[in-house]
Amino acid sequence: MERYFNTEGRCRPDLHYMVRLDDRLRKMKEQFVDRGKYFVINRGRQYGKTTTLMALAEYLKEEYAVFSLDFQMMSSSNFSDEETFVISFIESLEDLMSLKKDLRESIDTEAFYRLTALKDSRRISLDKLFRGLSGICGNAGKRIVLIIDEVDSASNYRVFLDFLAMLRGYYLNRDIRPTFHSVILAGVYDIKNLKLKLRPEEEHQYNSPWNIAADFDIPMSFSVSQIEGMLEEYEADHHVGMDVKAAADEIYQYTSGYPYLVSLICKLLDEKLPGSEPFLNDRNIWAREGIAEAVKMLLKTNTPLFDSLIKQLDTFQDLRELTRGILFQGKRVTFSPAEKSINLGKMFGFLKENGGGVEIANRVFEMFLLNFFIAEESVKSEIYFQGQSDRNQFIADHKLDMKLVLEKFVIHFADIYGDNDQNFVEEYGRKFFLLYLKPIINGGGNYYIEARTRDAKRTDVIVDYLGEQYIVELKIWHGDEYNKRGEKQFVEYLDYYHQDKGYLLSFNFNKKKERGVKELRIADKVIVEAVV
């Protein structure tokens, strides 16, 4: 069977093109499992947790007996009370034993029988469950590792927190009572941040019954070299003639190695672009233009990952405002895991720490969030409707006339917002330009904000339109000296992007300013500067 790129559920190397996990599994075994650590793998949705856990269970089975469970396979009724949970847990182990010959050979039959007999006991409780599990661990032919995936499914149940507390108690007393050698839980939420409503009338409360957990610091995102290795396997099978290193780097630039996004871009390149204009040549598909087209298609796809992202923004309004501030106002937010919104955004996978500050986790998320917020604003935005009205003026010979875009924006901005004060323009000016630009390039391209230059004074917008790239710097005027330094930096930035022409949009509050658009030549670059 021919392998393919998979975005639905677990990835298998015999069926799918995937990043090799050998190095990650080795580190997890040596740094955590072999040392008897209890730990949590908490990452955002579709981050490859299940694929990693299943691969780890297979990787460990020669040396360990692995109880690998998935709480997603248990219904909410299984957590309704202690007795029901204990019976469900034992039945899950019975199912596992019936499927795994290696487990049956490692687990003492008599000890396991005593555990299953608990189901017929008059009083079924967690303490009896753990005594039975302790008997199994003490008599097993191999040390036992417990893996539980999708612990989020149980996160709001009292019995689950009691279960965690029992795990903790046995861990602390394992010199006296045999117990699991290592325990691995996986889900989106870090169980140290679980909140439980003990009674309907009570507020949610933080609970930490599992503060024994070691910090899991092994990267789960893909590196450029890992993506490159996956693409090398694809190239060996299909001979499309791609520059593997360049393609891997370009995909990483958009995704920062987020596993699902990497796989989805590759899937679109492999399945959707071949045979379409202008990608009749397979080699062009796996180049910068093809990858940009795949990203454009991705952003129009209704994925569960994007649905989850929006759900979290709707649920946590402080997180929404934090994200908007970073995107539209260039806010520099100091990273602190103790700050609730930052911690939530990082846990859900769409914020990250970089150089002590908070950033959107990757370019795809940034583009998606910009589109989402712009769509919200567009319903009531006059400048957006002006962009819609003007859009047919700017395209000639399949190219975008960015100079004319700036000229029109300067006129509209003065007409609509000219009477507002400086604080208003500083806070919203860049958002208004993006609102104006969106309907103009919609359908033919995308734009994103360059994270390396985003701050309160300067933001660079990269516009990809029909295979052409345009660099637009948006800045707040802070005097002639600052402006000259900024122009020099912009020239260097154009060199980085191999562009001979760039565009400056300055929000200038000097009363003597000269509003309008002009061309400058700095070094060997042409700079089109617009002042509002």
Side-chain angles (χ1 to χ4, degrees):
M1 180 178 177
E2 187 176 276
R3 288 192 294 168
Y4 60 95
F5 292 102
N6 179 47
T7 57
E8 300 90 28
R10 175 195 177 191
C11 290
R12 291 173 46 182
D14 57 325
L15 297 177
H16 309 123
Y17 292 108
M18 59 179 289
V19 163
R20 294 300 176 181
L21 301 176
D22 305 64
D23 187 54
R24 181 188 301 175
L25 299 178
R26 178 185 57 78
K27 289 179 179 178
M28 291 174 71
K29 179 180 181 296
E30 292 177 355
Q31 297 178 24
F32 292 90
V33 177
D34 288 348
R35 296 176 181 179
K37 300 292 186 181
Y38 285 30
F39 61 100
V40 185
I41 303 175
N42 67 282
R43 295 293 187 277
R45 293 291 178 201
Q46 297 178 288
Y47 219 100
K49 299 183 294 295
T50 298
T51 295
T52 298
L53 289 181
M54 289 184 170
L56 181 63
E58 191 69 19
Y59 187 79
L60 295 174
K61 73 177 186 180
E62 292 300 321
E63 190 171 335
Y64 296 94
V66 182
F67 287 167
S68 183
L69 307 179
D70 185 347
F71 274 2
Q72 194 171 233
M73 303 294 288
M74 297 168 67
S75 71
S76 58
S77 63
N78 294 136
F79 299 93
S80 59
D81 56 64
E82 191 169 326
E83 180 176 333
T84 304
F85 174 77
V86 170
I87 292 173
S88 299
F89 192 89
I90 293 173
E91 289 176 343
S92 296
L93 293 182
E94 286 180 310
D95 287 343
L96 191 65
M97 289 284 285
S98 69
L99 296 170
K100 300 287 185 179
K101 180 182 177 182
D102 58 297
L103 270 184
R104 294 195 298 272
E105 293 173 347
S106 301
I107 300 303
D108 181 75
T109 303
E110 182 64 28
F112 193 74
Y113 173 77
R114 287 196 296 270
L115 177 70
T116 59
L118 288 176
K119 293 190 298 179
D120 300 321
S121 173
R122 286 187 179 181
R123 189 181 72 85
I124 301 175
S125 60
L126 278 171
D127 61 307
K128 286 188 175 183
L129 170 66
F130 272 85
R131 287 194 193 102
L133 291 172
S134 181
I136 290 174
C137 292
N139 291 282
K142 296 178 180 178
R143 292 173 295 181
I144 299 179
V145 174
L146 175 65
I147 298 175
I148 304 178
D149 196 7
E150 299 291 347
V151 291
D152 303 71
S153 304
S155 62
N156 204 39
Y157 297 104
R158 171 83 253 182
V159 67
F160 176 62
L161 294 186
D162 290 341
F163 175 76
L164 291 180
M166 284 280 189
L167 279 175
R168 178 181 182 274
Y170 271 79
Y171 172 86
L172 294 174
N173 290 281
R174 55 185 171 174
D175 290 341
I176 302 170
R177 294 177 181 269
T179 190
F180 299 111
H181 176 72
S182 179
V183 174
I184 307 159
L185 307 184
V188 173
Y189 286 86
D190 187 339
I191 60 170
K192 289 177 286 188
N193 295 318
L194 287 182
K195 292 189 290 185
L196 179 73
K197 186 176 284 189
L198 301 179
R199 286 184 291 274
E201 70 275 8
E202 290 183 338
E203 293 295 321
H204 281 79
Q205 299 176 3
Y206 283 103
N207 296 271
S208 294
W210 222 51
N211 54 10
I212 55 169
D215 289 333
F216 181 74
D217 55 0
I218 295 175
M220 295 280 284
S221 57
F222 299 158
S223 66
V224 175
S225 62
Q226 287 176 317
I227 299 172
E228 190 176 339
M230 177 177 65
L231 295 184
E232 284 174 349
E233 293 184 13
Y234 179 86
E235 175 64 24
D237 288 344
H238 295 271
H239 309 289
V240 297
M242 77 167 90
D243 183 333
V244 171
K245 185 174 180 58
D249 184 69
E250 188 71 10
I251 292 170
Y252 183 84
Q253 291 301 317
Y254 278 103
T255 64
S256 297
Y258 199 109
Y260 172 77
L261 297 177
V262 171
S263 295
L264 183 53
I265 288 174
C266 291
K267 185 180 182 71
L268 293 169
L269 292 169
D270 177 50
E271 299 179 10
K272 300 299 182 182
L273 262 64
S276 63
E277 290 283 357
F279 303 108
L280 300 178
N281 185 318
D282 285 346
R283 186 171 184 174
N284 293 337
I285 292 172
W286 293 88
R288 186 174 69 85
E289 293 80 5
I291 294 168
E293 182 67 19
V295 170
K296 188 169 73 174
M297 295 172 68
L298 183 159
L299 292 171
K300 295 178 181 178
T301 304
N302 186 24
T303 72
L305 179 60
F306 291 159
D307 289 343
S308 176
L309 194 158
I310 297 305
K311 177 184 175 182
Q312 306 306 342
L313 292 181
D314 288 342
T315 303
F316 302 101
Q317 290 299 311
D318 288 346
L319 178 59
R320 172 188 282 256
E321 293 309 310
L322 171 65
T323 305
R324 287 175 63 93
I326 292 172
L327 286 173
F328 287 131
Q329 298 165 30
K331 284 187 175 178
R332 298 293 295 172
V333 180
T334 301
F335 178 80
S336 171
E339 204 285 320
K340 180 181 176 182
S341 297
I342 295 173
N343 188 46
L344 285 171
K346 186 171 183 291
M347 187 169 65
F348 295 138
F350 57 87
L351 294 181
K352 67 179 179 181
E353 184 271 335
N354 185 29
V358 180
E359 293 182 357
I360 308 300
N362 57 64
R363 189 185 294 173
V364 169
F365 283 174
E366 185 167 90
M367 296 166 81
F368 173 78
L369 288 168
L370 278 172
N371 288 344
F372 172 71
F373 288 132
I374 290 293
E376 283 191 327
E377 295 277 346
S378 66
V379 177
K380 55 186 177 182
S381 171
E382 188 173 348
I383 197 75
Y384 180 88
F385 289 119
Q386 287 291 349
Q388 269 189 327
S389 176
D390 294 345
R391 66 185 306 249
N392 293 329
Q393 304 176 33
F394 304 121
I395 312 302
D397 298 326
H398 296 285
K399 289 191 176 183
L400 177 65
D401 189 340
M402 185 61 76
K403 181 180 180 181
L404 183 58
V405 171
L406 293 177
E407 288 174 348
K408 290 288 187 179
F409 176 75
V410 168
I411 294 170
H412 294 315
F413 188 88
D415 290 344
I416 300 171
Y417 306 112
D419 294 333
N420 285 284
D421 61 21
Q422 178 175 338
N423 290 336
F424 175 85
V425 176
E426 284 186 337
E427 185 167 354
Y428 299 113
R430 284 173 287 198
K431 180 176 73 174
F432 294 143
F433 177 70
L434 296 178
L435 278 163
Y436 183 69
L437 183 62
K438 179 61 180 177
I440 295 170
I441 65 169
N442 204 26
N446 277 304
Y447 57 70
Y448 59 90
I449 297 173
E450 176 52 66
R452 287 173 296 180
T453 63
R454 184 200 299 117
D455 59 33
K457 297 178 181 178
R458 172 189 174 195
T459 293
D460 287 325
V461 177
I462 316 299
V463 180
D464 288 311
Y465 189 83
L466 297 179
E468 296 287 334
Q469 200 165 60
Y470 306 84
I471 315 298
V472 186
E473 179 182 310
L474 315 180
K475 65 179 183 178
I476 306 297
W477 181 269
H478 287 280
D480 288 331
E481 185 177 343
Y482 172 81
N483 190 55
K484 289 178 181 178
R485 290 200 308 270
E487 288 175 348
K488 181 181 178 182
Q489 290 176 346
F490 190 44
V491 168
E492 294 171 354
Y493 195 54
L494 291 175
D495 278 334
Y496 175 81
Y497 271 90
H498 309 292
Q499 296 290 321
D500 296 323
K501 191 173 188 178
Y503 303 86
L504 285 173
L505 175 58
S506 297
F507 295 93
N508 190 335
F509 309 108
N510 189 325
K511 293 181 180 179
K512 297 180 181 180
K513 68 184 177 186
E514 183 180 341
R515 182 185 292 121
V517 179
K518 60 184 178 181
E519 285 195 4
L520 308 172
R521 181 166 288 277
I522 303 174
D524 60 342
K525 309 295 183 186
V526 174
I527 310 295
V528 177
E529 182 173 24
V531 179
V532 295

